[in-house]
Amino acid sequence: MAAPCIFCEIITGKLPGDIVFQNETVTAFRDRYPRAPIHILIVPNKHLESINSVTAADKELMGDLILIARKLATDLGISETGYRLVVNTGPDSGQSVQHLHIHLLGGNKMPLMGG
Ligand code: AMP
């Protein structure tokens, strides 16, 4: 049997998570191993493995993820200083959890991507 998805378990409360936002379609929680002063994961409640699993039926959900990222950036005071949204997809990107998520990173000056 496949191992349970840790993000599904955080969403349903079976595993502890530092949840900062939740509604009927999206959950956001602090990354357990933060790589920036603010590091939040924004996750669809529905299990989608990655961007590769997204279909046209998920258009509204994908919009919700971005709007919630924007709201959290504002609420956490980094909308003006700036932030980075990252969606790792597949092995070359280093995706380590197979449940689609957007990283919201901010709170300090970040190196240029690829720099
Ligand atoms: P990625 O490498 O893009 O798949 O990102 C997965 C993220 O999940 C990493 O930044 C991990 O630090 C984070 N992570 C793994 N396990 C947990 C957990 N139990 N609670 C919160 N974040 C986690």
Side-chain angles (χ1 to χ4, degrees), residues 83-95:
Y83 54 92
R84 182 170 288 162
L85 301 180
V86 174
V87 186
N88 290 322
T89 305
D92 278 0
S93 74
Q95 183 181 1

Side-chain angles (χ1 to χ4, degrees), residues 6-7 10 15-18 29-35 39 41 86-89 93-99 101 103:
I6 53 172
F7 286 1
I10 291 171
L15 271 182
D18 189 353
F29 49 89
R30 292 189 190 276
D31 197 292
R32 190 168 172 181
Y33 307 103
R35 258 58 59 72
H39 188 172
L41 301 172
V86 174
V87 186
N88 290 322
T89 305
S93 74
Q95 183 181 1
S96 61
V97 177
Q98 309 311 309
H99 183 131
H101 49 282
H103 297 258

Side-chain angles (χ1 to χ4, degrees), residues 7-113:
F7 286 1
C8 284
E9 295 209 321
I10 291 171
I11 290 161
T12 56
K14 286 191 194 135
L15 271 182
D18 189 353
I19 293 176
V20 295
F21 176 90
Q22 188 162 47
N23 69 9
E24 58 286 352
T25 53
V26 177
T27 300
F29 49 89
R30 292 189 190 276
D31 197 292
R32 190 168 172 181
Y33 307 103
R35 258 58 59 72
I38 292 171
H39 188 172
I40 309 281
L41 301 172
I42 300 141
V43 175
N45 294 345
K46 164 182 165 179
H47 184 87
L48 290 166
E49 285 203 1
S50 75
I51 290 286
N52 286 338
S53 315
V54 170
T55 70
D58 301 310
K59 267 187 197 173
E60 190 175 340
L61 177 59
M62 294 300 110
D64 287 347
L65 293 173
I66 296 292
L67 289 173
I68 289 159
R70 182 191 151 183
K71 172 187 161 34
L72 289 169
T74 302
D75 292 351
L76 294 166
I78 56 170
S79 61
E80 297 303 321
T81 48
Y83 54 92
R84 182 170 288 162
L85 301 180
V86 174
V87 186
N88 290 322
T89 305
D92 278 0
S93 74
Q95 183 181 1
S96 61
V97 177
Q98 309 311 309
H99 183 131
L100 192 155
H101 49 282
I102 300 178
H103 297 258
L104 166 63
L105 298 148
N108 65 359
K109 186 96 177 155
M110 288 171 265
L112 290 177
M113 280 178 47

